[in-house]
Amino acid sequence: MKVFHTQEKRNKILNFPIPCVRDDAWLGEAFYFWKEDSDAYEWGHNSKRRTGYFEIYSCDLNSANFLDTVFNEEHYYFWLRQLEKIAKTIMVKTNEKPTIKELNDYIRDKKVWPQIDYIQFQDLPTNSDKSMVKPIEYRQGARRKFRTIAFRKRIQISVYNQNIISNFALIESIKVI
Amino acid sequence: MLDLNLLEKQLDEVLAKETSETMISWLLDRRLKKHLNDLGEGLFANLPTNKFEIINKKERTIINNNSIDFLENAEVSEFDYFFAA
């Protein structure tokens, strides 16, 4: 599967993707990719602005050992159930509610599923500027409100096993707008 | 292809071994890592302990120096004192 990786432009062209350890990387520490290049470009303009340019790379992922929570219903419900199980255990034993990132970090830290090479998941894009549909306008009493519905899945892949990554190459360097 | 039954069994086995102590220890460790990440790159500096005095507001007398037992002996409420660096 061909996927895309967005990074800020650095002094040297990358020869391998950079793992993400950000607090909002909610699938835990992993190499993050976009399934569609349009999302990779949008991420660059929105989140990789520090150096004024960002870079889009592509690579191939070679593995059949992945959880597809986007298109595989069985995988999705399985994943949901397991995360809820971990959350409940943490809450019962610590009286603390974990973050979604902590749930996924638990799986990595405890080496629960070493055989999973990557997870495919979706989040819904919140920026309606690039959407092909305009927000729905509705009334709440006298107030005029807008509801943005994102019907296109924004699909990401988090890779835990770097050995499945191949043919990593720069596609383009873009100036941030 | 992944065997979901095996994956579920693996998780159940790991969770079954957790106690409150192990889980709290793991969570604290995770959150400390996050806190350290938030601080950014740098080094921790060893600073000498600062001496401080706890002073009775009304009488302006020093209640104690660097002691945590002062409330047991002082005849003042906790609002009658302040810390002076």
Side-chain angles (χ1 to χ4, degrees), chain A residues 85 96 102 106 113 115, chain B residues 7 10 12 18 26 31:
Chain A
K85 219 186 271 182
E96 272 286 313
E102 284 166 348
Y106 181 85
W113 295 329
Q115 65 265 57
Chain B
L7 291 178
Q10 285 170 323
D12 289 344
E18 293 284 1
W26 171 81
R31 290 187 177 177

Side-chain angles (χ1 to χ4, degrees), chain B residues 15-85:
Chain B
L15 290 175
K17 289 181 194 160
E18 293 284 1
T19 62
S20 287
E21 289 76 22
T22 59
M23 200 55 112
I24 288 171
S25 171
W26 171 81
L27 193 61
L28 279 177
D29 185 56
R30 258 288 148 196
R31 290 187 177 177
L32 176 61
K33 275 184 191 163
K34 179 190 176 321
H35 177 66
L36 292 175
N37 266 342
D38 290 345
L39 291 176
E41 287 186 22
L43 296 169
F44 284 106
N46 271 331
L47 296 175
T49 305
N50 286 328
K51 189 176 172 182
F52 64 89
E53 294 163 340
I54 301 169
I55 299 176
N56 181 304
K57 264 188 186 176
K58 287 180 190 166
E59 296 169 26
R60 312 300 292 183
T61 52
I62 297 170
I63 295 174
N64 218 336
N65 286 339
N66 291 6
S67 171
I68 58 171
D69 295 330
F70 72 94
L71 280 178
E72 287 181 12
N73 298 317
E75 292 175 4
V76 294
S77 76
E78 59 184 353
F79 299 108
D80 292 334
Y81 63 85
F82 62 90
F83 290 97

Side-chain angles (χ1 to χ4, degrees), chain A residues 116 140 149 173:
Chain A
I116 293 184
Q140 199 171 58
I149 308 289
S173 191

Side-chain angles (χ1 to χ4, degrees), chain A:
Chain A
M1 175 167 71
K2 184 179 265 317
V3 292
F4 303 91
H5 188 68
T6 314
Q7 286 294 343
E8 63 190 35
K9 187 175 165 67
R10 291 170 166 82
N11 292 336
K12 281 186 188 176
I13 290 174
L14 300 178
N15 55 22
F16 204 73
I18 296 177
C20 183
V21 296
R22 285 167 53 142
D23 291 337
D24 59 350
W26 59 276
L27 249 106
E29 291 160 17
F31 298 89
Y32 281 77
F33 301 92
W34 299 99
K35 187 135 174 138
E36 296 185 41
D37 58 352
S38 56
D39 292 321
Y41 283 93
E42 182 152 352
W43 186 251
H45 285 297
N46 289 335
S47 301
K48 297 292 182 181
R49 307 176 59 85
R50 195 178 65 88
T51 61
Y53 287 81
F54 64 89
E55 290 173 338
I56 303 291
Y57 294 83
S58 72
C59 64
D60 297 317
L61 300 182
N62 308 295
S63 172
N65 298 321
F66 65 96
L67 271 181
D68 181 2
T69 68
V70 180
F71 298 113
N72 186 319
E73 191 176 345
E74 194 186 7
H75 280 198
Y76 167 69
Y77 283 112
F78 164 81
W79 187 54
L80 204 62
R81 275 198 325 270
Q82 307 318 307
L83 289 184
E84 285 171 352
K85 219 186 271 182
I86 301 172
K88 273 184 195 150
T89 307
I90 291 175
M91 283 193 282
V92 162
K93 296 205 184 286
T94 69
N95 281 333
E96 272 286 313
K97 209 183 240 190
T99 64
I100 179 75
K101 183 177 185 293
E102 284 166 348
L103 294 185
N104 286 291
D105 283 338
Y106 181 85
I107 294 169
R108 302 280 90 69
D109 289 350
K110 301 288 181 171
K111 299 178 175 39
V112 177
W113 295 329
Q115 65 265 57
I116 293 184
D117 289 330
Y118 69 91
I119 296 180
Q120 180 164 267
F121 65 99
Q122 72 163 66
D123 62 11
L124 292 173
T126 53
N127 183 355
S128 62
D129 291 352
K130 305 244 176 353
S131 173
M132 289 190 183
V133 298
K134 63 180 188 178
I136 297 169
E137 187 182 340
Y138 65 101
R139 295 259 167 205
Q140 199 171 58
R143 287 164 64 185
R144 203 165 141 229
K145 298 194 96 172
F146 294 90
R147 189 169 170 201
T148 305
I149 308 289
F151 62 87
R152 184 180 71 80
K153 295 178 198 257
R154 186 169 75 172
I155 303 172
Q156 291 187 62
I157 294 108
S158 61
V159 173
Y160 306 105
N161 177 6
Q162 62 183 51
N163 296 322
I164 68 167
I165 299 169
S166 65
N167 302 326
F168 184 75
L170 175 69
I171 293 179
E172 202 176 350
S173 191
I174 313 261
K175 187 172 166 47
V176 170
I177 53 170

